Amino acid sequence: MTSHSAPGINNLTGILYMVAAIVTMSTMDAAAKWLVHADYSVFQILFVRSLMNVVVLLALLPFMGGLRLIKTNRVFAHGVRGVLGFVAPFCFFSALRSMGLAEATVIFFISPFVMTALSVPFFKEKVGIHRWGAIFVGFCGVLYVVQPTSEVFDPAAFLVLGGSLAYCFLMLSSRWLGSTEATFTIVFYVNFVVMLCGATGSVFYWVPMPVADVGVAAIVAFLSLIGNFFIIKAFTIGEVGVITPFEYTALIWAVLLGIVLFDEIPTSNVWVGSAVIAASGLYMVYRENRKKPAV
């Protein structure tokens, strides 16, 4: 029997939103790397980015539903998620001081495998032998990129791995909050907490920013908001199994932006590791699609 998409599902539009999200977020990472190389602390970068986002969200509040959207009974949950929302980019942006954009992005892509593994203890989901095998192969791909026993090993890889782990818990926490909180509420509080965390560190590392650099920071803020909007739209109107593979286009953009903006040519281990990680992730999506019953 043939399968039909559920009402309201538009996979082609969902794919377009996901591709737009990946381009947007990859460009944001490149702009953040530029600020890091300009010797701004990551505390300051995240503070300025989140401050701008909070201002924009507050300006949009009257048009989105008013003050009820920032009323919540789950303050602690938002606080924890906000800290995770700070740790994930803090680790990733910090690693960009010494790592190439493509290399860091490839290592960060361990997150889909970690989220799949964590779904077992957190949500009692069943992960079969095929997906466990894909997880193992994906880890091997990351290890090949990192090369921990090599003389050229960059300890900053641990920062990327830490950021990826924080990102996993950030995404998993969305399942708890998403059941009772509006998307606007979740986005607002994560930016608000990141702003507070960034402000705490910026007190010690603040450097005056010329207008041009404020403009780059504004680009980072704008792209982060738009990128998150695109991701939410993609998963709202598209089937997860269809649109998820397009997340791996981030590897392509990371390579291209690294070459064009920073003259970073990925080494062979990055190319090979990228292929292994992408193949493992796509296989997990394939297995997930096979489990869906035809209707």
Side-chain angles (χ1 to χ4, degrees):
M1 289 184 289
T2 58
S3 61
H4 301 278
S5 296
I9 292 295
N10 187 325
N11 285 328
L12 177 58
T13 304
I15 289 170
L16 293 176
Y17 270 119
M18 176 55 73
V19 171
I22 295 304
V23 174
T24 301
M25 300 302 276
S26 297
T27 306
M28 181 201 72
D29 289 339
K33 181 178 175 69
W34 189 92
L35 289 173
V36 167
H37 282 203
D39 286 333
Y40 293 106
S41 76
V42 180
F43 282 109
Q44 182 171 347
I45 295 170
L46 291 176
F47 168 69
V48 174
R49 185 192 79 172
S50 297
L51 174 62
M52 291 179 176
N53 284 345
V54 168
V55 170
V56 171
L57 290 170
L58 287 175
L60 292 174
L61 189 61
F63 307 98
M64 302 296 291
L67 291 176
R68 66 178 181 82
L69 285 177
I70 57 175
K71 292 180 180 178
T72 180
N73 294 321
R74 307 185 70 177
V75 175
F76 179 77
H78 282 294
V80 171
R81 192 173 187 278
V83 171
L84 292 170
F86 173 81
V87 172
F90 181 87
C91 290
F92 186 80
F93 292 166
S94 296
L96 292 179
R97 289 190 183 277
S98 62
M99 297 187 75
L101 189 61
E103 185 179 5
T105 300
V106 171
I107 296 172
F108 197 84
F109 258 93
I110 197 174
S111 57
F113 305 104
V114 175
M115 279 191 280
T116 300
L118 289 176
S119 69
V120 176
F122 280 95
F123 302 112
K124 308 302 179 185
E125 295 181 358
K126 293 182 178 180
V127 176
I129 188 171
H130 290 274
R131 284 202 286 170
W132 279 122
I135 290 170
F136 175 76
V137 173
F139 274 115
C140 290
V142 171
L143 287 175
Y144 189 75
V145 174
V146 174
Q147 296 194 357
T149 60
S150 170
E151 292 181 358
V152 296
F153 169 68
D154 190 341
F158 288 122
L159 280 172
V160 181
L161 291 172
S164 182
L165 185 61
Y167 175 79
C168 291
F169 284 107
L170 178 69
M171 292 297 102
L172 290 172
S173 67
S174 299
R175 282 183 63 168
W176 286 298
L177 282 172
S179 61
T180 61
E181 306 291 273
T183 299
F184 184 96
T185 309
I186 296 172
V187 173
F188 174 81
Y189 278 107
V190 74
N191 276 282
F192 183 75
V193 176
V194 171
M195 180 186 70
L196 295 180
C197 293
T200 302
S202 295
V203 172
F204 305 100
Y205 299 104
W206 184 266
V207 175
M209 302 179 74
V211 174
D213 291 353
V214 172
V216 176
I219 291 173
V220 172
F222 174 76
L223 292 176
S224 69
L225 268 184
I226 296 300
N228 278 290
F229 169 78
F230 284 156
I231 288 174
I232 292 170
K233 289 291 293 183
F235 281 106
T236 299
I237 66 176
E239 294 177 285
V240 174
V242 174
I243 65 175
T244 296
F246 290 88
E247 289 188 78
Y248 289 95
T249 57
L251 301 175
I252 300 172
W253 289 106
V255 169
L256 292 176
L257 290 168
I259 292 173
V260 173
L261 299 179
F262 306 105
D263 198 26
E264 298 171 346
I265 308 298
T267 55
S268 60
N269 62 305
V270 175
W271 291 111
V272 174
S274 298
V276 171
I277 292 167
S280 301
L282 292 174
Y283 182 72
M284 284 204 303
V285 173
Y286 164 74
R287 289 295 304 180
E288 190 64 28
N289 284 338
R290 280 196 62 184
K291 295 192 311 181
K292 292 181 179 179
V295 294

